[in-house]
Amino acid sequence: MPLSEHEQRMLEQMERALYAEDPKFATALEGSGLRTYTRRRVYQAVAGFLVGIALLMAGMVAKQVWLSVVGFLVMLGCAVLAVTGWRKAPKPGEQAGGAAGPQARRQGRQHRSVMDRIEQRWQKRRDEQGGH
């Protein structure tokens, strides 16, 4: 079940507080565990892709169109999972957040502050409209 907007904001605030209070601990939590998880997910997707090829071929040999279609859909789904998982995986020398250096961190802060300002403006408009 997805989180509501309020719950997502609360989670983001808790994450920021954790980074502010103990950045070493926060970095240790997200270290290689995420990289291992995404790598495992990519390997599983590649294995699923091979299963999809086998289903596609089996459907062609048995002249069962539905089996070939299922095989193609499995291949397509696994290819999407592999590509998205590979893009999200941090590089070996990189932090899991993807921040390769101070420049990337600064851009993340600027992006966050822009989002905070937008949220504040939105909240202000809602308060003004609610008061009238």
Side-chain angles (χ1 to χ4, degrees), residues 1-2 9-10 29 37 46 60 63 109 114 117-118:
M1 181 162 76
R9 276 191 241 120
M10 293 291 290
L29 283 179
Y37 170 75
V46 169
M60 291 172 61
K63 296 184 181 175
R109 281 189 213 132
V114 169
R117 283 185 292 194
I118 291 171

Side-chain angles (χ1 to χ4, degrees), residues 41 45 49 73-87:
R41 182 176 162 194
F49 187 84
L73 292 175
V74 168
M75 287 171 51
L76 183 65
C78 289
V80 169
L81 283 176
V83 169
T84 58
W86 194 260
R87 286 184 183 167

Side-chain angles (χ1 to χ4, degrees), residues 73-120:
L73 292 175
V74 168
M75 287 171 51
L76 183 65
C78 289
V80 169
L81 283 176
V83 169
T84 58
W86 194 260
R87 286 184 183 167
K88 290 179 185 177
K91 304 288 183 274
E94 207 174 63
Q95 290 183 358
Q103 182 70 19
R105 284 188 212 115
R106 246 180 274 136
Q107 288 175 351
R109 281 189 213 132
Q110 288 173 352
H111 178 70
R112 245 187 251 139
S113 64
V114 169
M115 291 304 293
D116 289 340
R117 283 185 292 194
I118 291 171
E119 286 180 16
Q120 288 173 355

Side-chain angles (χ1 to χ4, degrees), residues 2-16 119 122-123 126:
L3 298 175
S4 69
E5 289 182 33
H6 176 70
E7 292 170 333
Q8 287 176 352
R9 276 191 241 120
M10 293 291 290
L11 183 61
E12 288 173 7
Q13 288 175 355
M14 289 172 19
E15 287 175 355
R16 284 186 212 136
E119 286 180 16
W122 181 256
Q123 188 65 32
R126 287 182 57 195

